[in-house]
């Protein structure tokens, strides 16, 4: 369910809380940071550019932190004034001076930072990994490294390494010229030997650079939270606590995590490397066809589906008899006027039109990206089996219009105690779940490769 559908509920909860903050809806007896923010009509937030925080995508501002912040500003009923920074230190200095209301770094909270700032509730925990290039000697201890660990100045990684007793200062290098994503890329290309990265950023980058490997885990769990100026009262912090409680209860936070991280938690080095190599060598033969027949769809999404189906082999055939680049059954081929399933252009044309038809048959109330992931699952196991999974989801108290809920029930279509209660019976729902997750990873990789001009 999109965040917009929670607006009334969120704002009702907020105004109840606001009355409490303001001492029974009267004038506060001390300066109240939250009321000042509301009177101003905007909230000033600092964040960093990055894939896990904020960036300008094809459809406008995007990023996990950005969407959380936009949700909070809507919850409070003010405009989001977002100030992206390139430097941790500069951003935190602006918070300390009172020029920002909140800082959302998308980074872990260290003991050093806890002594300087007030923090809202932890909404995620991340591990900190020492990352090296696969194929080189694996580092097993920090105090035995022959080359320095490079981190971003002011980041939690730099702070964490600085306080570890068993790490020599000569092996610590910080930089303002590269962000965390760039440092991971430099490890992948061999420009630097090591960096320290949190599990979120590493997961995002490994689909682009599959040769990134974990040498050791420096810290298992570190909280992520928004920072606030400690000189202010706790009213904004209380509102943040209420907000996160509401979005967790509503399920929207889980939806957001699924959107950005749900498909990349598991990593397959061999598959990721093979995909990137194939994209740079094979896709050029079919790119123009995917673009021609994509219609309102993103051609790169169709290409990702085709790779999952056939590895871009026009002569591919499965054990069940489906064939071609888009792995069409004989019946589907007949429905969409495909005379030769092994003809690349016919297969792409038929597959794209079939997928578009599935999208059109998903209930209109289901928004994207859930709509797309469900249509994708239907492409794999059939619309009837997808509907069975949605019915099981509703029976079990989940939301049948959310992919994050439906995907949990897909494997049940293989279990007798569940599928015997459905209309269409047994299905390999666990394979459909993996099918969608794989395509999402391939699609993300194609977006990046396309941006780099490599396909």
């Amino acid at each position: 369910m999109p965040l917009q559908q929670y607006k009334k509920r969120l704002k009702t909860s907020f105004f109840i809380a606001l009355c409490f903050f303001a001492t029974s809806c009267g004038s506060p007896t001390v300066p109240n940071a939250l009321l000042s923010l509301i009177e101003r009509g905007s909230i000033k937030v600092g964040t960093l550019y990055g894939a896990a925080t904020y960036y300008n995508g094809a459809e406008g501002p995007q990023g996990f932190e950005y969407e959380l912040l936009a949700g909070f500003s809507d919850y409070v009923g003010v405009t989001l004034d977002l100030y992206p920074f390139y430097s941790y230190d500069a951003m935190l200095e602006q918070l300390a001076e009172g020029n920002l209301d909140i800082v959302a770094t998308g980074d872990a909270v260290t003991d050093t930072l806890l002594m300087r700032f007030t923090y809202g509730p932890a909404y995620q925990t991340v591990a900190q990994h020492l990352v090296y290039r696969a194929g080189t000697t694996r580092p097993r201890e920090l105090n035995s490294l022959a080359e320095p660990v490079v981190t971003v100045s002011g980041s939690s990684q730099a702070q964490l390494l600085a306080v570890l007793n068993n790490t020599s200062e000569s092996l610590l290098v910080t930089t303002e010229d590269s962000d965390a994503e760039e440092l991971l890329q430099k490890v992948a290309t061999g420009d630097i030997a090591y960096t320290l990265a949190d599990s979120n950023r590493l997961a995002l980058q490994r689909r682009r650079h599959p040769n990134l490997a974990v040498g050791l885990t420096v810290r298992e769990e570190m909280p992520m939270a928004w920072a606030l100026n400690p000189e202010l009262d706790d009213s904004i912090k209380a509102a943040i606590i209420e907000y996160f409680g509401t979005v967790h209860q509503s399920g929207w936070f889980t939806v957001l995590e699924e959107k950005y991280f749900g498909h990349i938690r598991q990593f397959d080095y061999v598959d990721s490397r093979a995909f990137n190599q194939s994209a740079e060598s094979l896709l050029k033969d079919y790119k123009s066809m995917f673009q021609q027949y994509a219609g309102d769809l993103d051609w790169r999404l169709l290409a990702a589906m085709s790779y999952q189906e056939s590895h871009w082999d026009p002569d591919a055939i499965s054990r069940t008899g489906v064939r071609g680049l888009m792995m069409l059954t004989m019946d589907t081929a007949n429905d969409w006027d495909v005379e030769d399933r092994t003809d690349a252009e016919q297969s792409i044309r038929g597959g794209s039109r079939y997928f578009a038809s599935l999208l059109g048959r998903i209930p209109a109330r289901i928004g994207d990206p859930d709509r797309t992931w469900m249509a994708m699952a239907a492409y794999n196991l059939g619309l009837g089996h997808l509907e069975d999974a949605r019915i099981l989801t509703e029976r079990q108290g989940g939301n049948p219009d959310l992919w994050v809920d439906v995907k949990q029930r897909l494997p049940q279509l293989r279990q007798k105690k569940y599928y015997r209660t459905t209309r269409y019976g047994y299905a390999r729902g666990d394979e459909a779940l993996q099918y969608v997750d794989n395509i999402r990873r391939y699609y993300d990789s194609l977006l990046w490769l396309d941006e780099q001009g490599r396909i």
Side-chain angles (χ1 to χ4, degrees):
M1 183 184 299
L3 178 62
Q4 287 78 0
Q5 297 183 29
Y6 297 120
K7 282 184 177 179
K8 291 183 180 179
R9 187 187 313 169
L10 292 174
K11 289 184 177 179
T12 299
S13 300
F14 169 70
F15 283 115
I16 291 173
L18 179 58
C19 288
F20 173 76
F21 302 145
T23 314
S24 300
C25 296
S27 298
T29 56
V30 295
N32 187 291
L34 181 62
L35 290 178
S36 297
L37 181 154
I38 293 171
E39 289 173 358
R40 186 205 308 154
S42 66
I43 183 169
K44 299 177 181 179
V45 179
T47 192
L48 294 168
Y49 285 106
T53 49
Y54 164 80
Y55 62 97
N56 280 305
E59 298 177 358
Q62 296 180 34
F64 181 68
E65 291 293 337
Y66 169 76
E67 292 206 40
L68 280 176
L69 292 165
F72 180 67
S73 66
D74 186 72
Y75 174 73
V76 179
V78 297
T79 300
L80 175 63
D81 287 344
L82 194 67
Y83 297 89
F85 284 78
Y86 298 99
S87 164
Y88 283 96
D89 292 332
M91 179 174 58
L92 293 173
E93 186 62 29
Q94 290 299 308
L95 178 64
E97 293 178 1
N99 298 322
L100 296 171
D101 301 309
I102 295 174
V103 156
T105 63
D107 199 15
V109 181
T110 64
D111 293 338
T112 303
L113 290 173
L114 283 172
M115 291 189 289
R116 291 184 61 194
F117 302 102
T118 299
Y119 280 85
Y123 52 88
Q124 279 187 321
T125 59
V126 292
Q128 301 285 359
H129 300 301
L130 182 68
V131 182
Y132 74 108
R133 186 182 184 186
T136 62
T137 302
R138 178 183 176 181
R140 297 185 182 277
E141 293 182 351
L142 286 173
N143 58 5
S144 65
L145 299 180
E147 296 186 59
V149 182
V150 185
T151 59
V152 179
S153 300
S155 66
S156 65
Q157 292 78 29
Q159 295 176 42
L160 180 60
L161 289 178
V163 300
L164 290 177
N165 294 328
N166 62 345
T167 302
S168 169
E169 288 188 5
S170 64
L171 294 180
L172 301 180
V173 173
T174 60
T175 179
E176 285 277 11
D177 295 330
S178 299
D179 60 25
E181 285 84 4
E182 289 176 291
L183 291 180
L184 285 167
Q185 181 176 345
K186 288 182 177 182
V187 171
T189 57
D191 293 330
I192 61 175
Y194 312 112
T195 190
L196 195 66
D198 68 57
S199 46
N200 276 351
R201 285 190 171 92
L202 179 59
L204 286 167
Q205 294 303 311
R206 280 179 116 178
R207 71 174 187 266
R208 301 172 177 178
H209 309 290
N211 61 342
L212 292 172
V214 175
L216 66 142
T217 299
V218 176
R219 185 67 60 85
E220 285 290 349
E221 291 188 351
M222 295 184 71
M224 296 177 66
W226 293 347
L228 303 112
N229 189 320
E231 300 298 322
L232 300 178
D233 60 59
D234 287 338
S235 56
I236 296 178
K237 178 178 178 179
I240 293 173
I241 293 172
E242 290 284 340
Y243 166 69
F244 275 104
T246 303
V247 296
H248 276 292
Q249 185 177 13
S250 68
W252 181 72
F253 185 87
T254 304
V255 172
L256 195 62
E257 274 199 313
E258 164 66 25
K259 176 179 178 180
Y260 285 95
F261 307 113
H263 59 300
I264 58 174
R265 295 301 190 192
Q266 295 181 337
F267 175 72
D268 186 324
Y269 168 73
V270 174
D271 180 64
S272 296
R273 184 180 64 174
F275 174 78
N276 287 355
Q277 292 174 343
S278 294
E280 295 187 68
S281 60
L282 298 178
L283 185 55
K284 63 180 183 296
D285 294 334
Y286 311 110
K287 178 179 177 179
S288 62
M289 299 178 196
F290 286 120
Q291 292 173 321
Q292 179 181 354
Y293 295 109
D296 294 331
L297 303 171
D298 187 332
W299 74 267
R300 295 163 297 190
L301 183 64
L302 287 177
M305 289 180 64
S306 179
Y307 183 84
Q308 171 63 27
E309 291 285 356
S310 65
H311 283 205
W312 295 322
D313 177 3
D315 297 317
I317 182 169
S318 80
R319 64 181 183 274
T320 59
V322 295
R323 301 193 68 173
L325 279 175
M326 299 299 290
M327 283 294 188
L328 303 177
T329 66
M330 184 65 75
D331 288 342
T332 301
N334 290 334
D335 289 342
W336 299 99
D337 299 322
V338 175
E339 296 180 359
D340 182 358
R341 289 181 291 167
T342 63
D343 179 86
E345 184 169 5
Q346 290 187 48
S347 183
I348 291 171
R349 172 173 52 81
S352 64
R353 290 176 180 176
Y354 175 49
F355 181 62
S357 75
L358 291 172
L359 274 169
R361 294 160 67 186
I362 300 294
R365 66 178 178 274
I366 300 177
D368 271 323
D370 303 77
R371 183 185 194 84
T372 299
W373 309 146
M374 289 191 195
M376 219 174 266
Y379 191 100
N380 177 260
L381 85 169
L383 203 57
H385 289 304
L386 173 69
E387 186 61 24
D388 282 345
R390 294 182 65 241
I391 291 171
L392 288 174
T393 302
E394 189 167 28
R395 286 178 187 169
Q396 296 170 22
N399 188 332
D401 295 344
L402 290 180
W403 172 246
V404 69
D405 285 354
V406 174
K407 67 182 286 189
Q408 296 176 35
R409 278 75 185 186
L410 282 171
Q412 295 178 3
L413 296 179
R414 204 164 191 161
Q415 301 173 39
K416 186 176 180 179
K417 70 176 182 178
Y418 296 110
Y419 71 70
R420 69 183 178 186
T421 70
T422 64
R423 180 177 179 181
Y424 292 93
Y426 174 89
R428 295 191 296 270
D430 53 337
E431 294 182 12
L433 170 58
Q434 190 63 54
Y435 175 88
V436 175
D437 281 350
N438 287 348
I439 292 171
R440 291 176 65 183
R441 284 193 292 271
Y442 298 149
Y443 176 55
D444 286 348
S445 295
L446 286 180
L447 291 176
W448 181 75
L449 289 168
D450 196 20
E451 290 171 0
Q452 301 295 308
R454 291 166 58 180
I455 58 174

